[in-house]
Amino acid sequence: MLVFAGVPLAAGVAFGYQEIDGALAERTEAAQIQEQVDELIQLTELRASLIDERNYASAVTALSLTGFDPGLVNLVTGVDVENERDGSAARVDELIVDSAFAPEMDRLQEIRAIADAFDILDESDLSEAGRLYTEFELEIGAAVDARLDELLDDAGRISSTGELINALRIFTAATSFRAATSNASTAALATYFGLPGLEGRTAVAELTGEMYRASRDVSLIRRIADADSAALNQLETFLELPSFERFGTVATDITNAGGVEPIALEDVTDRIDELLAVFSDGNAAVASSFDVVTAAGSDVDGAVDALRERAQSGAMRVAISVIIGALVAIGLSFVLIRVIVRPLDRLAEGAQRIRDGDLDQRIPDDGPVEIRGAALALNEATSSLEHFRHQTDALARGEVSAVVDGDDSQVGALGESIRAAVDTLAESISARDELREQLLHEASHDGLTQLANRRASLDKLRAAVASPWKRGNTAVLFVDLDGFKSINDHHGHRAGDVALRIVASRLGSAVGADAHVGRLGGDEFIVIIEEVPTPAVAVQVGERIIEAVCVPIDVAGTSLALSASVGVSLDDGRGVTAQAMLHEADVAVYEAKRAGSGIVRVCDEAMRTEIERSARLESELRRALRSDEFELWLQPVVDVDGLVESSREALIRWRHPERGLVMPGDFIEFAERSDLIIDIDRWVLLDAARVLAADPGGTSIAVNVSGRHLTSESFVHDVIAPLRAHDVDPSRIIVEVTESSVLDDLGRAADHLDQLRELGVLVAIDDFGTGYASLSYLRQLPVDIIKIDRSFTRDEGSQSLVSMVVETARLLDLTVTAEGVEDEQQVETLRRLGVDRLQGYHFGRPRPPAQAQVTADSRPAGSVDTLLAPEGAVAIDAPVARG
Ligand code: C2E
Ligand code: CA
Ligand code: CA
């Protein structure tokens, strides 16, 4: 801010300083000239006084020489010569002390002493004193001249000093005039006194010379002096005196006369009047000429004063102008500060506050138009920001509609862009809210039926089970549609979806408003009823559900018959968990299905025991996988011609740490209910690959794979990867799949099997004849080998079926293997029927790889080869070698 005041101020001061400096210098020089003038006047006076002293001293001497009594002279002329001499001497003393000639005091005293010692008898002393006086006076005169030159020099350097120089020239002339007058006066006296000889003539010459000099000075002064010059006035006064004219006359007379004859001493008395007249005229002229010098001195003083005053007033003028300039500058600065700086400051402060988030303030819109514009723009921006801050606050509070419908008048350009941003924000917030609601709904609801999903249903069940206020039983009904898969397969997924939606709505009306209905996934539904008074009520609800589902459904003009099985679990205040109840209901529905479908089964004690056993088994199986408790046993498959081993089947055994060797029948089916079977299959595939790799000359190994694994994503990889890892030819592996596991998801199973076959892996259909038993399927299945189930090998009445299978296999170029071959007779029958390969105890029991070999068994068929475990749950192969 100070900058605004400072610049002009500094400029003014700088300029003023220069001017004042000049003026002050001039004033200083004027003061110096004044001093010089003062000294000059002093020296001139000294010189004049010394001349007076000399002249009066001469007069005193002359009077005493002529015998005149000075008192008488005084009486007659009015001039006290001695007194005048002493006065002049005192004046000389006074002036010489302060002058440059102060050191000459002694010399002056000597001169005076000589003049005093004047003896009438020795005239020479008179001239001696006069000479010394004159010598001294001339020295002072020279000093005066030198100082005058110096002074004129100095004065010339100062501008506007014409007046001073003029005054000085007049002063010089006056001084010169003064000296000339005084000298002329003395010379006139001397002439009249008739100084003898040379002196007399000298005196006349001197008088003439001094008169000429005086008249020259007079004309100079008259020429250059102004009319108001004191010196000129004084000179005019002088010229009116009779004495000066008389000097002139004397000089002229004497010159015309060719010299004067000195008045002889004896004639003095006669010519006393004439003498006294000359004396008093000279005296008057000297006094008057001194007045001219004094006047000229005062003229110089006046000129110097005027100069000094001018210098001073010049300095003052400059100083005043500087001060005015400074005031103007300061004033201007204040104006600037008021007009620009302050509004700018306010603008800056406002901007800063806005930056700090203070949107409430408004910047005063004053000052120059640009600042006003900026302030208005900022105010508009802040009011927009403020407005939208309220809106974003509203958004933050979730009041989206308040923002969307808000009033946005007076928003400006910035406001519009912010408005757009806020709108986008509001939109995305409401979109987000909608999405969240949707996601929340989707997270808890089933998209197809809009029923609560598995998770929400479990949450519901958990809440019901955990409720401390429940009075009765909580019942969970697991509803599983029967044969739903065939609807999907035969009528398409669209029809399946329609069926599921219809079932969902029927479930809702069947169970009543108080019950919870959810979809667990696929064709599985759940119903939760809180506070069921008795288990019978739950069963009744289950039966109502089955009835409702059984009503035929019309899908695209086709009437579809559905049925359902229901498993029920009641908590009975057992403190059972929701998850466990769901599992119990699941097991119950499984039992219901096993018992023939379309029925309700309640989970009872026996089922719970089975569930516990399963849970234990599951954890043991996991441990078995981790602890490598499984063993891969091999059973040979022989070619019907020559009965040599053509391949081997891998059959898993579990070396249980407590229960000994556990057969697959005791855990495979259980494992197939979960993904455990996939881990077991992988283990077998890996071990088979390892065995094949260790025995490069050995025959192929057939591995049983479960349906769950077959249709899983990793299946092809799980088969191939171990072979690649052990560098085993894929053609040395046969995968055995059951007819039903392929048909469950024919598309995916066929795809996976095709992939494997392309890689060289062979595919066998296991247990053929036990499933759909339709030969027409064979056409569609990507298989190489058909394994006729051992029930047909055993059964004599199945020969026609075996024959048909063989014939079809011939047409399709498939290999037929018969399982469960236990005796020679069976071998013969099967050979006659055209079966290609044979497998059974007759050729060898499953054995650990090291012992597995074709025995070309002569052992009698039907021998006891299985031993029942104490519980009857575990069957153990009794290796033939040990038997
Ligand atoms: P499967 O695939 O039909 O296997 C043949 C079963 O018949 C084997 O029982 C075998 O020991 C038995 N067997 C063989 N020859 C005769 C015979 O002459 N007479 C009689 N009575 N039985 C004979 P195992 O080993 O107990 O296997 C039972 C089932 O367990 C197998 O039936 C198969 O379905 C399954 N299984 C066995 N090992 C595995 C495996 O590693 N993975 C999978 N997923 N399942 C396996
Ligand atoms: Ca098999
Ligand atoms: Ca089989």
Side-chain angles (χ1 to χ4, degrees), residues 649 651 704 736 766 787 819:
E649 181 174 4
L651 296 159
N704 296 280
E736 292 192 6
D766 207 355
K787 292 185 82 171
E819 294 181 307

Side-chain angles (χ1 to χ4, degrees), residues 649 651 704 736 738 765-768 787-790 819-820 839:
E649 181 174 4
L651 296 159
N704 296 280
E736 292 192 6
T738 61
I765 291 284
D766 207 355
D767 304 341
F768 192 80
K787 292 185 82 171
I788 298 171
D789 192 72
R790 71 170 180 267
E819 294 181 307
Q839 179 185 357

